[in-house]
C-alpha cells in the first residue's frame, strides 16, 4: 500500500515520469555508438589526464621536491603530491557518535525516522529518475517517437558537479580535520567511481532496473575479493555463507525472469558485462577509500576530493569528444530532461549527506538495514511504474538476497556484542 502511494506521489510530481509505455526499439547503432567503443574513448580521455599526472608525481618524488623545491608552485605541489602530515595539536577528533544531553527515546525515534525517510526519498526518487532518463524518450508527440538521451558520461558529470558543490559548502561552513592526504590519491578512487557510475547508467539500456538493483546487492562478493587483494583482509565463515546465499538468490532471479520486451541475448549479455564492470569498479572504489581514511579525514572531505577529480575527468573527456556541447543542447531542447537530470543530481548529493548523518547518529548497522529495505522498495516501485514482471521463483530469489543481507547485519551486531572486531561495512561514500 505504501509503495502504491509513493508511486502516485512521484507520478503527480513529475507528470511524464511513467510516460512512453513500452520502451520503443532503438534504431541500429553504428559501431562508433556501441557501448564498448564509447567506453574505450572515455577511458582514453581519462588516461590523457591520469598518465601525465602520474609522470609528474613520479618526477617530483624522484627529485625529492619536498626538500629541494622552492617558488610559487611549491605549496601546490606539496599539497597535491606529498600532502600535509597533521600535527597532534591540529587534529580534530572524529567521535563516531555523540549523544546529546536532551536525548530521549522519543527524540531518538524522531531522528531515526528523519534519517530513514530522507534516505528512502532521496534514493527511491534517484532510482526512478535514473530509469526514466536512460530508458524513455523525450519530446514524443503523436507523429514523432521523440529522442533518447544516450550520453551516460554527461549525467555522471552533472551528479559529480552538484556533489562537489554540496561537499565544498559543507566543508566551508563546518569545521573539518586538518587535511593530510596527497591530493593525487583521490584520483584513483575518482577514476574507478566515474567508470562504475558510467557502467551503471549504461547498463539500464540493456537490462531492467530490478536486475541492476540485485546486481548492486551482490557486490558484497567482489568487495570481499577486492578486500583480500587490496587491503589483505580476512573474513569470517558467516560472511562466505551470506555471500553464497546472495549468489544463489541472484541466480534464481536471473534464470527465472523472462526477457524484457525488445531484448535479445546480445543486449542482455552487454547489460550483464556492464553490471560486472560496475561491481568491479565500485568494489575497488570502496576499498581504496577505506585505505585513504587512514589519513584521518572526514567523510565529507573524501566526498569533496573524489568529486573534484571526477569533475576534472568527465569535463576533460567530454570536451575532447565534443560531447559537452551536445549534452547542453539536449537539455535546451528538452526542459523536462533538464529538470529530471537536476533532480537526479540533487537526490544523489543529498542522499550522500543523509548517509553520513545516519552513520554518525546510529551506526553502520542501522544504515545498512535502511538501505537494504530501500533496495527492496526500489524493485517494487520500478515494477509498479514501468511494468516489469517478476516470477514466483524470481521473487523467492529476491527474498533470499535481502534475507542474506539482513543476516550479515545481524551477524555483525552479534560479533560486536561479543567484543570482537567487526568487519567494516562496505564504504558508502559513493552510492
Amino acid at each position: 500500500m505504501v509503495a502504491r502511494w509513493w508511486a502516485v506521489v512521484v507520478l503527480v510530481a513529475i507528470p511524464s515520469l511513467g510516460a512512453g509505455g513500452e520502451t520503443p526499439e532503438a534504431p541500429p547503432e553504428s559501431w562508433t555508438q556501441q557501448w564498448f567503443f564509447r567506453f574505450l574513448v572515455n577511458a582514453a580521455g581519462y588516461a590523457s589526464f591520469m598518465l601525465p599526472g602520474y609522470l609528474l608525481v613520479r618526477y617530483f618524488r624522484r627529485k625529492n621536491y619536498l626538500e629541494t623545491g622552492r617558488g610559487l608552485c611549491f605549496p601546490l605541489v606539496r599539497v597535491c603530491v606529498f600532502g600535509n602530515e597533521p600535527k597532534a595539536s591540529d587534529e580534530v577528533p572524529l567521535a563516531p557518535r555523540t549523544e546529546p544531553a536532551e536525548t530521549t527515546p522519543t527524540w531518538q525515534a524522531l531522528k531515526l525516522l528523519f534519517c530513514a525517510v530522507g534516505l528512502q526519498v532521496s534514493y527511491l526518487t534517484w532510482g526512478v529518475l535514473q530509469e526514466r532518463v536512460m530508458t524513455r524518450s523525450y519530446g514524443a508527440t503523436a507523429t514523432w517517437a521523440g529522442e533518447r538521451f544516450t550520453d551516460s558520461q554527461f549525467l555522471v558529470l552533472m551528479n559529480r558537479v552538484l556533489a562537489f558543490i554540496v561537499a565544498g559548502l559543507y566543508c566551508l561552513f563546518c569545521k573539518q580535520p586538518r587535511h593530510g592526504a596527497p591530493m593525487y590519491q583521490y584520483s584513483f578512487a575518482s577514476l574507478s567511481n566515474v567508470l562504475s557510475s558510467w557502467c551503471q547508467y549504461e547498463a539500464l539500456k540493456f537490462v531492467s532496473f530490478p536486475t541492476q538493483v540485485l546486481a548492486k546487492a551482490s557486490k558484497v562478493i567482489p568487495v570481499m575479493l577486492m578486500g583480500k587483494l587490496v587491503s589483505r583482509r580476512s573474513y569470517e565463515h558467516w560472511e562466505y555463507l551470506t555471500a553464497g546465499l546472495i549468489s544463489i538468490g541472484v541466480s534464481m532471479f536471473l534464470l527465472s525472469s523472462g526477457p524484457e520486451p525488445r531484448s535479445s541475448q546480445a543486449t542482455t549479455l552487454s547489460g550483464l558485462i556492464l553490471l560486472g564492470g560496475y561491481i568491479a569498479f565500485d568494489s575497488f572504489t570502496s576499498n581504496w577509500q577505506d585505505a585513504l581514511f587512514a589519513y584521518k579525514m572526514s567523510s565529507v572531505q573524501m566526498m569533496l576530493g573524489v568529486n573534484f577529480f571526477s569533475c576534472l575527468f568527465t569535463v576533460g573527456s567530454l570536451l575532447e569528444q565534443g560531447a559537452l556541447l551536445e549534452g547542453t543542447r539536449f537539455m535546451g531542447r528538452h526542459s523536462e530532461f533538464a529538470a529530471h537530470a537536476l533532480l537526479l543530481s540533487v537526490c544523489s548529493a543529498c542522499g550522500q549527506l543523509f548517509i553520513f548523518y545516519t552513520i554518525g547518529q546510529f551506526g553502520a548497522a542501522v544504515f545498512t538495514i535502511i538501505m537494504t529495505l530501500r533496495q527492496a522498495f526500489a524493485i517494487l516501485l520500478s515494477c509498479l511504474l514501468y511494468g516489469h514482471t517478476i516470477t514466483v521463483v524470481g521473487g523467492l530469489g529476491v527474498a533470499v538476497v535481502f534475507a542474506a543481507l539482513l543476516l550479515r547485519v545481524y551477524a555483525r551486531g552479534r560479533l560486536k556484542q561479543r567484543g570482537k572486531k567487526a568487519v567494516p561495512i562496505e564504504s558508502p561514500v559513493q552510492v
Side-chain angles (χ1 to χ4, degrees):
M1 188 67 181
V2 175
R4 290 183 180 275
W5 277 108
W6 175 254
V8 171
V9 170
V10 172
L11 286 172
V12 169
I14 309 174
S16 62
L17 199 58
E22 183 179 310
T23 304
E25 185 175 6
E29 293 182 332
S30 65
W31 67 274
T32 58
Q33 295 299 315
Q34 296 296 323
W35 70 265
F36 185 70
F37 178 80
R38 286 184 285 111
F39 175 83
L40 293 179
V41 171
N42 291 345
Y46 306 146
S48 67
F49 290 89
M50 286 288 290
L51 186 58
Y54 173 77
L55 294 176
L56 282 174
V57 170
R58 289 289 303 271
Y59 170 78
F60 287 124
R61 286 188 172 275
R62 188 172 63 250
K63 293 293 185 180
N64 196 19
Y65 188 81
L66 188 61
E67 301 295 333
T68 62
R70 294 292 183 273
L72 295 176
C73 295
F74 177 74
L76 179 63
V77 174
R78 183 182 61 185
V79 170
C80 293
V81 178
F82 300 97
N84 294 309
E85 289 298 330
K87 301 176 183 177
S89 58
D90 293 330
E91 292 186 2
V92 177
L94 296 176
R97 274 182 284 172
T98 56
E99 297 292 338
E102 69 274 12
T103 293
T104 63
T106 303
W107 178 247
Q108 284 294 93
L110 288 175
K111 286 200 298 184
L112 179 59
L113 179 63
F114 171 73
C115 292
V117 171
L119 286 169
Q120 298 291 348
V121 171
S122 296
Y123 283 110
L124 285 176
T125 306
W126 177 73
V128 168
L129 287 170
Q130 185 185 47
E131 187 169 8
R132 169 64 180 92
V133 169
M134 298 307 300
T135 64
R136 298 298 191 269
S137 299
Y138 285 94
T141 63
T143 57
W144 185 48
E147 58 178 333
R148 288 192 184 183
F149 183 76
T150 59
D151 195 345
S152 300
Q153 187 175 209
F154 187 83
L155 279 180
V156 175
L157 170 63
M158 290 197 64
N159 289 352
R160 298 303 177 259
V161 166
L162 191 59
F164 174 72
I165 293 173
V166 170
L169 292 175
Y170 189 96
C171 290
L172 183 64
F173 293 107
C174 300
K175 188 175 182 180
Q176 300 294 314
R178 177 183 170 90
H179 188 269
M183 287 298 296
Y184 83 91
Q185 294 269 11
Y186 291 106
S187 64
F188 300 102
S190 175
L191 177 61
S192 60
N193 178 254
V194 167
L195 291 174
S196 70
S197 297
W198 184 89
C199 289
Q200 174 181 313
Y201 284 122
E202 201 72 11
L204 283 176
K205 299 178 183 178
F206 304 100
V207 298
S208 67
F209 184 77
T211 301
Q212 188 191 80
V213 171
L214 283 186
K216 292 180 182 181
S218 65
K219 74 178 183 180
V220 169
I221 302 167
V223 164
M224 290 172 63
L225 294 176
M226 285 289 184
K228 276 188 169 294
L229 294 176
V230 178
S231 305
R232 305 297 181 187
R233 286 181 182 160
S234 59
Y235 296 95
E236 301 287 339
H237 294 297
W238 58 266
E239 293 194 276
Y240 291 108
L241 172 62
T242 54
L245 288 175
I246 290 172
S247 300
I248 293 172
V250 171
S251 300
M252 290 172 62
F253 175 82
L254 293 178
L255 294 176
S256 64
S257 300
E260 288 290 303
R262 312 285 187 183
S263 67
S264 66
Q265 290 185 354
T267 58
T268 301
L269 178 61
S270 294
L272 293 179
I273 292 174
L274 287 166
L275 287 177
Y278 158 75
I279 293 172
F281 289 126
D282 192 65
S283 300
F284 176 85
T285 302
S286 61
N287 280 280
W288 190 270
Q289 287 174 335
D290 284 343
L292 277 180
F293 276 121
Y295 286 97
K296 308 298 183 182
M297 69 184 68
S298 70
S299 297
V300 181
Q301 286 175 319
M302 174 72 75
M303 179 179 171
L304 180 67
V306 170
N307 283 298
F308 169 76
F309 280 99
S310 297
C311 293
L312 178 65
F313 291 151
T314 50
V315 166
S317 179
L318 287 168
L319 286 174
E320 290 174 358
Q321 299 175 40
L324 184 61
L325 184 59
E326 178 55 34
T328 306
R329 287 173 177 170
F330 192 94
M331 292 181 66
R333 290 195 301 270
H334 304 288
S335 58
E336 183 186 5
F337 165 77
H340 288 171
L342 179 60
L343 184 55
L344 185 75
S345 302
V346 169
C347 290
S348 177
C350 292
Q352 290 185 50
L353 294 181
F354 270 110
I355 286 174
F356 304 143
Y357 183 75
T358 303
I359 293 177
Q361 291 293 319
F362 300 100
V366 172
F367 162 75
T368 304
I369 292 174
I370 294 173
M371 294 303 280
T372 300
L373 294 175
R374 188 271 301 182
Q375 290 175 318
F377 290 149
I379 292 178
L380 178 60
L381 189 59
S382 178
C383 292
L384 289 174
L385 288 176
Y386 300 111
H388 301 298
T389 58
I390 298 179
T391 64
V392 175
V393 177
L396 288 175
V398 173
V400 169
V401 170
F402 290 114
L405 292 174
L406 293 175
L407 178 60
R408 288 177 68 85
V409 178
Y410 172 77
R412 280 195 181 93
R414 295 285 294 178
L415 198 65
K416 187 175 181 180
Q417 287 179 357
R418 293 176 182 176
K420 296 183 179 180
K421 184 180 179 181
V423 178
I425 299 282
E426 288 78 17
S427 175
V429 172
Q430 301 291 343
V431 177

